[in-house]
Structures are given as structure tokens and as C-alpha cells.
Coordinates of all heavy atoms in Angstrom, one line a residue:
M1 N 24.0 -22.6 22.9 CA 22.6 -22.6 22.7 C 22.1 -21.4 22.0 O 22.4 -20.3 22.4 CB 21.9 -22.8 24.1 CG 20.4 -22.9 24.0 SD 19.8 -23.6 25.5 CE 18.5 -22.5 25.9
M2 N 21.4 -21.6 20.8 CA 21.0 -20.4 20.0 C 19.6 -20.0 20.4 O 18.7 -20.8 20.6 CB 21.0 -20.8 18.6 CG 20.9 -19.7 17.7 SD 21.4 -20.2 16.0 CE 19.7 -20.3 15.2
M3 N 19.5 -18.7 20.7 CA 18.1 -18.2 21.0 C 17.4 -17.9 19.8 O 18.0 -17.3 18.8 CB 18.3 -16.9 21.8 CG 19.0 -17.1 23.1 SD 18.0 -18.0 24.4 CE 16.8 -16.7 24.7
T4 N 16.2 -18.3 19.6 CA 15.3 -17.9 18.5 C 14.2 -17.1 18.9 O 13.7 -17.2 20.1 CB 14.8 -19.2 17.8 OG1 14.0 -19.9 18.8 CG2 15.9 -20.1 17.3
T5 N 13.8 -16.2 18.1 CA 12.6 -15.3 18.3 C 11.4 -16.1 18.1 O 11.2 -16.7 17.1 CB 12.7 -14.1 17.5 OG1 13.9 -13.4 17.6 CG2 11.5 -13.1 17.8
P6 N 10.5 -16.2 19.1 CA 9.3 -16.9 18.9 C 8.4 -16.2 17.8 O 8.4 -15.0 17.6 CB 8.5 -16.8 20.2 CG 9.2 -15.7 20.9 CD 10.5 -15.5 20.4
K7 N 7.7 -17.1 17.0 CA 6.9 -16.5 15.9 C 5.5 -16.2 16.5 O 5.0 -16.9 17.3 CB 6.7 -17.6 14.8 CG 8.0 -17.7 14.0 CD 7.7 -18.5 12.8 CE 8.4 -19.9 12.7 NZ 8.1 -20.7 11.6
L8 N 5.0 -15.1 16.0 CA 3.7 -14.7 16.4 C 2.5 -15.5 15.8 O 1.5 -15.7 16.4 CB 3.5 -13.2 16.0 CG 2.3 -12.5 16.5 CD1 2.2 -12.5 18.0 CD2 2.3 -11.0 16.0
F9 N 2.9 -16.1 14.6 CA 1.9 -16.8 13.9 C 2.3 -18.2 13.5 O 3.5 -18.5 13.5 CB 1.5 -16.1 12.6 CG 1.1 -14.6 12.8 CD1 1.9 -13.6 12.4 CD2 0.0 -14.3 13.5 CE1 1.6 -12.3 12.6 CE2 -0.4 -13.0 13.7 CZ 0.4 -12.0 13.3
D10 N 1.4 -19.1 13.1 CA 1.8 -20.4 12.6 C 2.6 -20.2 11.3 O 2.7 -19.1 10.7 CB 0.6 -21.3 12.4 CG -0.4 -20.8 11.3 OD1 0.0 -20.2 10.3 OD2 -1.6 -20.9 11.5
D11 N 3.2 -21.3 10.8 CA 4.2 -21.2 9.7 C 3.5 -20.6 8.4 O 4.1 -19.8 7.8 CB 4.7 -22.6 9.3 CG 5.8 -23.0 10.4 OD1 6.3 -22.2 11.2 OD2 6.1 -24.2 10.4
E12 N 2.3 -21.0 8.1 CA 1.6 -20.6 6.9 C 1.4 -19.1 7.0 O 1.7 -18.3 6.1 CB 0.3 -21.3 6.7 CG -0.5 -20.9 5.5 CD -1.8 -21.6 5.4 OE1 -2.2 -22.4 6.3 OE2 -2.5 -21.3 4.4
L13 N 0.8 -18.6 8.1 CA 0.5 -17.2 8.2 C 1.8 -16.4 8.4 O 1.9 -15.3 7.8 CB -0.4 -16.9 9.4 CG -0.8 -15.4 9.6 CD1 -1.5 -14.8 8.3 CD2 -1.8 -15.3 10.8
H14 N 2.8 -17.0 9.1 CA 4.1 -16.3 9.2 C 4.7 -16.0 7.9 O 5.1 -14.9 7.6 CB 5.0 -17.1 10.1 CG 6.3 -16.5 10.3 ND1 6.5 -15.5 11.3 CD2 7.5 -16.7 9.8 CE1 7.8 -15.2 11.2 NE2 8.4 -15.9 10.3
G15 N 4.7 -16.9 7.0 CA 5.3 -16.8 5.7 C 4.5 -15.7 4.9 O 5.1 -14.9 4.2
A16 N 3.1 -15.8 5.0 CA 2.3 -14.8 4.3 C 2.6 -13.4 4.8 O 2.7 -12.4 4.0 CB 0.9 -15.2 4.4
M17 N 2.6 -13.3 6.1 CA 2.9 -11.9 6.7 C 4.3 -11.4 6.4 O 4.4 -10.3 6.0 CB 2.7 -12.0 8.2 CG 1.3 -12.3 8.6 SD 0.1 -11.1 8.2 CE 0.5 -9.9 9.4
Q18 N 5.3 -12.3 6.3 CA 6.6 -11.8 6.0 C 6.6 -11.3 4.6 O 7.3 -10.2 4.3 CB 7.6 -13.0 6.1 CG 7.9 -13.4 7.5 CD 8.6 -12.3 8.3 OE1 9.5 -11.6 7.9 NE2 8.1 -12.1 9.5
Q19 N 5.9 -12.0 3.7 CA 5.8 -11.5 2.2 C 5.1 -10.1 2.2 O 5.6 -9.2 1.5 CB 5.1 -12.6 1.4 CG 5.1 -12.1 -0.1 CD 4.5 -13.2 -1.0 OE1 4.3 -14.3 -0.6 NE2 4.1 -12.8 -2.2
L20 N 4.0 -10.0 2.9 CA 3.3 -8.7 2.9 C 4.2 -7.6 3.5 O 4.2 -6.5 3.0 CB 2.0 -8.9 3.6 CG 0.9 -9.6 2.9 CD1 -0.3 -9.9 3.8 CD2 0.5 -8.9 1.6
Y21 N 4.9 -7.9 4.6 CA 5.8 -6.9 5.2 C 6.8 -6.5 4.1 O 7.1 -5.3 3.9 CB 6.5 -7.5 6.4 CG 5.7 -7.8 7.6 CD1 6.2 -8.8 8.4 CD2 4.5 -7.2 7.9 CE1 5.5 -9.2 9.5 CE2 3.8 -7.6 9.0 CZ 4.2 -8.6 9.8 OH 3.5 -9.0 10.9
D22 N 7.4 -7.5 3.4 CA 8.4 -7.1 2.4 C 7.9 -6.3 1.3 O 8.5 -5.3 0.9 CB 9.1 -8.4 1.9 CG 10.0 -9.2 2.9 OD1 10.3 -8.5 3.9 OD2 10.2 -10.4 2.7
E23 N 6.7 -6.7 0.9 CA 6.0 -6.0 -0.2 C 5.7 -4.5 0.2 O 5.7 -3.6 -0.6 CB 4.8 -6.7 -0.8 CG 5.3 -8.0 -1.5 CD 4.1 -8.9 -1.8 OE1 3.0 -8.6 -1.4 OE2 4.4 -9.9 -2.5
T24 N 5.2 -4.3 1.4 CA 4.9 -3.0 1.9 C 6.2 -2.2 2.0 O 6.1 -1.0 1.6 CB 4.2 -3.1 3.3 OG1 3.1 -4.0 3.2 CG2 3.8 -1.8 3.9
I25 N 7.2 -2.8 2.5 CA 8.5 -2.0 2.6 C 9.0 -1.6 1.3 O 9.4 -0.5 1.0 CB 9.5 -2.8 3.4 CG1 9.1 -3.0 4.9 CG2 10.9 -2.3 3.2 CD1 9.9 -4.0 5.6
E26 N 8.9 -2.5 0.3 CA 9.3 -2.3 -1.1 C 8.5 -1.1 -1.7 O 9.1 -0.1 -2.3 CB 9.1 -3.5 -2.0 CG 9.6 -3.3 -3.4 CD 9.4 -4.5 -4.3 OE1 8.9 -5.5 -3.8 OE2 9.8 -4.4 -5.4
A27 N 7.2 -1.1 -1.4 CA 6.3 0.0 -1.9 C 6.7 1.3 -1.3 O 6.8 2.3 -2.0 CB 4.9 -0.3 -1.6
M28 N 7.0 1.4 -0.1 CA 7.4 2.6 0.6 C 8.8 3.0 0.2 O 9.1 4.2 0.1 CB 7.4 2.4 2.1 CG 5.9 2.3 2.7 SD 4.7 3.4 2.0 CE 5.4 5.0 2.6
Q29 N 9.7 2.1 -0.1 CA 11.0 2.5 -0.6 C 10.9 3.2 -2.0 O 11.5 4.1 -2.3 CB 11.9 1.3 -0.7 CG 12.4 0.9 0.7 CD 13.2 -0.5 0.7 OE1 13.0 -1.3 -0.2 NE2 14.0 -0.6 1.7
L30 N 9.9 2.6 -2.8 CA 9.7 3.2 -4.2 C 9.0 4.6 -4.0 O 9.3 5.5 -4.7 CB 8.7 2.3 -5.0 CG 9.4 1.0 -5.5 CD1 8.4 0.1 -6.1 CD2 10.5 1.3 -6.5
A31 N 8.2 4.7 -2.9 CA 7.6 6.0 -2.7 C 8.6 7.1 -2.4 O 8.5 8.2 -2.8 CB 6.6 5.9 -1.5
K32 N 9.7 6.7 -1.7 CA 10.7 7.6 -1.3 C 11.4 8.3 -2.6 O 11.9 9.3 -2.5 CB 11.8 7.0 -0.5 CG 11.3 6.7 1.0 CD 12.2 5.8 1.7 CE 13.6 6.4 2.0 NZ 14.4 5.6 2.9
V33 N 11.4 7.6 -3.7 CA 12.0 8.0 -4.9 C 11.0 8.3 -6.0 O 11.4 8.4 -7.2 CB 13.1 7.1 -5.4 CG1 14.2 7.0 -4.3 CG2 12.6 5.7 -5.7
S34 N 9.8 8.4 -5.7 CA 8.7 8.6 -6.7 C 9.0 9.9 -7.4 O 9.1 11.0 -6.8 CB 7.3 8.6 -6.1 OG 7.0 7.3 -5.7
P35 N 9.0 9.9 -8.8 CA 9.3 11.2 -9.5 C 8.1 12.1 -9.7 O 8.3 13.2 -10.0 CB 9.8 10.6 -10.9 CG 9.1 9.3 -11.0 CD 9.0 8.8 -9.7
D36 N 6.9 11.6 -9.4 CA 5.8 12.5 -9.6 C 4.6 12.0 -8.7 O 4.7 10.9 -8.1 CB 5.3 12.6 -11.0 CG 4.9 11.2 -11.7 OD1 4.2 10.4 -11.0 OD2 5.4 10.9 -12.8
L37 N 3.5 12.8 -8.6 CA 2.4 12.4 -7.8 C 1.7 11.2 -8.2 O 1.2 10.4 -7.4 CB 1.4 13.6 -7.7 CG 1.8 14.8 -6.8 CD1 0.8 15.9 -6.9 CD2 2.0 14.4 -5.4
D38 N 1.6 10.8 -9.5 CA 1.0 9.6 -10.0 C 1.7 8.4 -9.4 O 1.1 7.5 -8.9 CB 0.9 9.6 -11.5 CG 0.1 8.5 -12.0 OD1 -1.1 8.4 -11.6 OD2 0.6 7.8 -12.9
D39 N 3.1 8.4 -9.5 CA 3.9 7.4 -9.0 C 3.7 7.2 -7.5 O 3.6 6.2 -6.9 CB 5.3 7.5 -9.3 CG 5.7 7.1 -10.7 OD1 4.9 6.5 -11.4 OD2 6.9 7.2 -11.1
L40 N 3.7 8.4 -6.8 CA 3.6 8.4 -5.4 C 2.3 7.8 -4.9 O 2.2 7.0 -4.0 CB 3.8 9.8 -4.8 CG 3.8 10.0 -3.3 CD1 4.9 9.2 -2.7 CD2 3.8 11.4 -2.9
S41 N 1.2 8.2 -5.6 CA -0.1 7.7 -5.3 C -0.2 6.2 -5.5 O -0.8 5.5 -4.7 CB -1.2 8.5 -6.0 OG -1.2 8.2 -7.4
A42 N 0.4 5.7 -6.5 CA 0.4 4.3 -6.9 C 1.2 3.5 -5.8 O 0.7 2.4 -5.3 CB 1.1 4.0 -8.2
T43 N 2.3 4.0 -5.3 CA 3.1 3.3 -4.3 C 2.3 3.3 -3.0 O 2.3 2.4 -2.2 CB 4.5 3.9 -4.1 OG1 4.5 5.2 -3.9 CG2 5.3 3.6 -5.4
F44 N 1.7 4.4 -2.6 CA 0.9 4.5 -1.4 C -0.2 3.5 -1.5 O -0.6 2.8 -0.5 CB 0.4 5.9 -1.2 CG 1.3 6.9 -0.5 CD1 2.6 6.8 -0.6 CD2 0.7 7.9 0.2 CE1 3.5 7.6 0.0 CE2 1.6 8.8 0.9 CZ 3.0 8.7 0.7
A45 N -0.9 3.4 -2.7 CA -2.0 2.5 -2.9 C -1.6 1.1 -2.6 O -2.3 0.3 -1.9 CB -2.6 2.7 -4.3
V46 N -0.4 0.7 -3.1 CA 0.1 -0.7 -2.9 C 0.4 -0.9 -1.4 O 0.0 -1.9 -0.9 CB 1.4 -0.9 -3.8 CG1 2.1 -2.2 -3.4 CG2 1.0 -0.9 -5.3
A47 N 1.1 0.0 -0.8 CA 1.4 -0.2 0.6 C 0.1 -0.3 1.4 O 0.0 -1.2 2.3 CB 2.2 1.0 1.1
L48 N -0.9 0.6 1.2 CA -2.1 0.5 2.0 C -2.9 -0.8 1.6 O -3.4 -1.4 2.6 CB -3.0 1.7 1.6 CG -2.6 3.0 2.2 CD1 -3.3 4.2 1.6 CD2 -2.7 3.0 3.7
L49 N -2.8 -1.3 0.4 CA -3.4 -2.6 0.1 C -2.8 -3.7 0.8 O -3.4 -4.6 1.4 CB -3.3 -2.8 -1.4 CG -3.8 -4.2 -1.9 CD1 -5.3 -4.4 -1.7 CD2 -3.4 -4.5 -3.3
K50 N -1.5 -3.7 0.9 CA -0.7 -4.8 1.6 C -1.0 -4.7 3.1 O -1.1 -5.8 3.7 CB 0.8 -4.6 1.3 CG 1.2 -4.8 -0.1 CD 0.8 -6.1 -0.7 CE 1.2 -6.2 -2.2 NZ 0.9 -7.5 -2.8
L51 N -1.1 -3.6 3.7 CA -1.4 -3.4 5.1 C -2.8 -3.9 5.4 O -3.1 -4.6 6.4 CB -1.2 -2.0 5.6 CG 0.2 -1.5 5.7 CD1 0.2 0.0 6.0 CD2 1.0 -2.3 6.8
G52 N -3.7 -3.6 4.5 CA -5.1 -4.1 4.6 C -5.2 -5.6 4.5 O -5.9 -6.3 5.3
L53 N -4.4 -6.2 3.6 CA -4.4 -7.7 3.5 C -3.8 -8.3 4.7 O -4.3 -9.3 5.2 CB -3.5 -8.1 2.2 CG -4.2 -7.8 0.9 CD1 -3.1 -8.1 -0.2 CD2 -5.4 -8.7 0.7
A54 N -2.7 -7.7 5.2 CA -2.1 -8.3 6.4 C -3.1 -8.2 7.6 O -3.2 -9.2 8.4 CB -0.8 -7.5 6.7
T55 N -3.8 -7.1 7.7 CA -4.8 -6.9 8.8 C -5.9 -8.0 8.6 O -6.3 -8.6 9.6 CB -5.4 -5.5 8.8 OG1 -4.3 -4.6 9.0 CG2 -6.4 -5.3 9.9
G56 N -6.3 -8.2 7.5 CA -7.4 -9.2 7.1 C -6.9 -10.6 7.5 O -7.7 -11.4 8.1
F57 N -5.7 -10.9 7.2 CA -5.1 -12.3 7.5 C -5.2 -12.5 9.0 O -5.5 -13.6 9.5 CB -3.7 -12.5 7.0 CG -3.6 -12.7 5.5 CD1 -2.5 -12.5 4.9 CD2 -4.7 -13.1 4.7 CE1 -2.3 -12.8 3.5 CE2 -4.7 -13.3 3.4 CZ -3.5 -13.2 2.8
V58 N -4.7 -11.5 9.8 CA -4.6 -11.6 11.2 C -6.1 -11.7 11.8 O -6.4 -12.5 12.7 CB -3.9 -10.5 11.9 CG1 -3.9 -10.6 13.4 CG2 -2.4 -10.5 11.4
E59 N -6.9 -10.9 11.2 CA -8.4 -10.8 11.7 C -9.0 -12.2 11.5 O -9.8 -12.6 12.4 CB -9.1 -9.8 10.9 CG -10.6 -9.7 11.2 CD -10.9 -9.1 12.5 OE1 -10.1 -8.3 13.1 OE2 -12.1 -9.3 13.0
Q60 N -8.7 -12.9 10.5 CA -9.2 -14.2 10.3 C -9.0 -15.2 11.4 O -9.8 -16.0 11.8 CB -8.8 -14.9 9.0 CG -9.3 -14.2 7.8 CD -8.7 -14.8 6.4 OE1 -7.9 -15.8 6.5 NE2 -9.1 -14.3 5.3
R61 N -7.7 -15.1 12.0 CA -7.4 -16.0 13.1 C -7.6 -15.4 14.4 O -7.6 -16.1 15.4 CB -5.9 -16.4 12.9 CG -5.7 -17.3 11.7 CD -4.3 -17.8 11.5 NE -4.0 -18.8 10.6 CZ -3.9 -18.6 9.3 NH1 -4.0 -17.5 8.8 NH2 -3.6 -19.7 8.5
H62 N -7.7 -14.0 14.5 CA -7.8 -13.4 15.7 C -8.9 -12.3 15.6 O -8.6 -11.1 15.4 CB -6.5 -12.7 16.2 CG -5.4 -13.7 16.4 ND1 -5.3 -14.5 17.4 CD2 -4.4 -14.0 15.5 CE1 -4.2 -15.3 17.3 NE2 -3.7 -15.0 16.2
P63 N -10.2 -12.7 15.6 CA -11.3 -11.7 15.5 C -11.2 -10.6 16.4 O -10.8 -10.7 17.6 CB -12.6 -12.6 15.7 CG -12.1 -14.0 15.4 CD -10.7 -14.1 15.8
G64 N -11.4 -9.4 15.9 CA -11.3 -8.2 16.7 C -10.0 -7.5 16.5 O -9.8 -6.3 17.0
F65 N -9.1 -8.1 15.8 CA -7.8 -7.4 15.6 C -7.9 -6.1 14.8 O -7.3 -5.1 15.1 CB -6.8 -8.4 14.9 CG -5.5 -7.8 14.6 CD1 -4.6 -7.6 15.6 CD2 -5.1 -7.3 13.3 CE1 -3.3 -7.1 15.3 CE2 -3.9 -6.8 13.1 CZ -3.0 -6.6 14.1
A66 N -8.7 -6.2 13.7 CA -8.9 -5.0 12.9 C -9.5 -3.8 13.7 O -9.1 -2.7 13.5 CB -9.8 -5.3 11.6
K67 N -10.5 -4.2 14.5 CA -11.1 -3.1 15.4 C -10.0 -2.5 16.3 O -10.0 -1.3 16.5 CB -12.2 -3.7 16.2 CG -12.9 -2.7 17.1 CD -14.1 -3.4 17.8 CE -14.7 -2.3 18.7 NZ -15.4 -3.0 19.8
E68 N -9.2 -3.4 16.9 CA -8.1 -2.9 17.8 C -7.2 -2.0 17.0 O -6.8 -0.9 17.5 CB -7.4 -4.1 18.3 CG -6.3 -3.7 19.4 CD -5.6 -4.9 20.0 OE1 -6.3 -6.0 20.1 OE2 -4.5 -4.8 20.3
V69 N -6.8 -2.3 15.8 CA -5.9 -1.5 15.0 C -6.6 -0.1 14.8 O -5.9 1.0 15.0 CB -5.6 -2.1 13.6 CG1 -4.9 -1.2 12.7 CG2 -4.7 -3.4 13.8
E70 N -7.9 -0.1 14.4 CA -8.6 1.1 14.2 C -8.7 2.0 15.4 O -8.5 3.2 15.4 CB -10.0 0.9 13.6 CG -10.8 2.1 13.3 CD -10.1 3.1 12.4 OE1 -9.2 2.7 11.5 OE2 -10.4 4.3 12.5
E71 N -8.9 1.3 16.6 CA -9.0 2.1 17.9 C -7.7 2.7 18.1 O -7.6 3.9 18.6 CB -9.4 1.1 19.0 CG -10.9 0.8 18.9 CD -11.3 -0.4 19.9 OE1 -10.4 -0.9 20.5 OE2 -12.5 -0.7 20.0
K72 N -6.6 2.0 17.9 CA -5.2 2.5 18.2 C -4.9 3.6 17.2 O -4.3 4.6 17.6 CB -4.2 1.4 18.2 CG -4.3 0.5 19.4 CD -3.4 -0.6 19.4 CE -3.6 -1.4 20.6 NZ -2.8 -2.7 20.7
R73 N -5.3 3.5 16.0 CA -5.1 4.5 15.0 C -5.8 5.8 15.4 O -5.2 6.9 15.4 CB -5.6 4.1 13.6 CG -5.3 5.0 12.5 CD -5.8 4.5 11.2 NE -7.2 4.7 11.0 CZ -7.8 5.9 10.6 NH1 -7.0 6.9 10.3 NH2 -9.1 6.1 10.5
Q74 N -7.0 5.7 15.9 CA -7.8 6.9 16.3 C -7.1 7.5 17.6 O -7.1 8.8 17.7 CB -9.2 6.4 16.7 CG -10.1 6.1 15.5 CD -10.2 7.2 14.5 OE1 -10.3 8.4 14.9 NE2 -10.2 6.9 13.2
R75 N -6.6 6.7 18.5 CA -5.8 7.2 19.7 C -4.6 8.0 19.2 O -4.3 9.0 19.8 CB -5.5 6.1 20.6 CG -6.7 5.7 21.5 CD -6.2 4.9 22.7 NE -5.4 3.8 22.5 CZ -5.8 2.5 22.5 NH1 -7.1 2.2 22.6 NH2 -5.0 1.5 22.3
V76 N -3.9 7.5 18.2 CA -2.7 8.2 17.7 C -3.1 9.5 17.1 O -2.5 10.5 17.4 CB -1.9 7.3 16.7 CG1 -0.8 8.1 16.0 CG2 -1.3 6.1 17.5
I77 N -4.1 9.5 16.3 CA -4.6 10.7 15.7 C -5.0 11.7 16.7 O -4.6 12.9 16.7 CB -5.8 10.4 14.8 CG1 -5.4 9.7 13.5 CG2 -6.5 11.7 14.4 CD1 -6.5 9.1 12.6
A78 N -5.7 11.3 17.7 CA -6.2 12.2 18.8 C -5.0 12.7 19.6 O -4.9 13.9 19.9 CB -7.1 11.4 19.8
A79 N -4.0 11.9 19.9 CA -2.8 12.4 20.6 C -2.0 13.4 19.7 O -1.5 14.4 20.3 CB -1.9 11.2 20.9
L80 N -1.9 13.1 18.4 CA -1.2 14.0 17.6 C -1.9 15.4 17.4 O -1.2 16.4 17.4 CB -0.9 13.4 16.2 CG 0.1 12.2 16.1 CD1 0.1 11.6 14.8 CD2 1.4 12.7 16.6
T81 N -3.2 15.3 17.3 CA -3.9 16.6 17.1 C -4.0 17.3 18.4 O -4.1 18.6 18.4 CB -5.3 16.3 16.5 OG1 -6.0 15.4 17.3 CG2 -5.3 15.7 15.1
H82 N -4.0 16.7 19.5 CA -4.1 17.3 20.8 C -2.8 18.1 21.1 O -2.8 19.2 21.6 CB -4.2 16.3 21.9 CG -4.4 17.0 23.3 ND1 -3.3 17.0 24.1 CD2 -5.5 17.5 23.9 CE1 -3.8 17.7 25.3 NE2 -5.1 17.9 25.1
K83 N -1.6 17.6 20.6 CA -0.3 18.2 20.8 C -0.1 19.5 19.9 O 0.7 20.3 20.2 CB 0.8 17.3 20.6 CG 0.9 16.2 21.7 CD 2.0 15.2 21.4 CE 2.0 14.1 22.4 NZ 3.0 13.1 22.2
H84 N -0.9 19.5 18.8 CA -0.6 20.6 17.8 C -1.7 21.6 17.9 O -2.7 21.7 18.2 CB -0.5 20.0 16.4 CG 0.7 19.2 16.2 ND1 0.7 17.8 16.4 CD2 2.0 19.5 16.0 CE1 1.9 17.4 16.2 NE2 2.7 18.4 16.0

């Protein structure tokens, strides 16, 4: 019997999210080898855009998700600044 990982989203959103994950990862891999600040800023811009799109897709089906992401981001920032 083969175990499968349950999908978090329906097939349509799952496929879209997988593509956005892949594109975000690709942008960050390019960022690792960016030869100058212009390239680096462009790859960061793409990665941030893809993360924003992914957040928006989830938000459409699960209202409040974007707010939860922002609240967690703020908690991480607070924890990091508190330690330093």
C-alpha cells in the first residue's frame, strides 16, 4: 500500500501553487549567482511577486490567510529583533 501526502488545496489551486513555488525557487537560485545589484534586485522582485501571487490565491479560498501571514511575519521580526 502506497502512502500519499494529502494535498492542501484542490487540484486547480495545487497546480498553480506548485508552479509558483517552482518559479519562486528558480528566482532565488538565480539570486544566488546574480553578478550585480541590478540582477539581484530583479530576482528578488520576481520572488516577492510570486510569493504575493501565491498568498493572493490562498486568500481567495481562505479569507484571512494574508492577515495571518503578516501577523506571523511581524512575530518573526519581533523575535529576531528581541534577540539582537
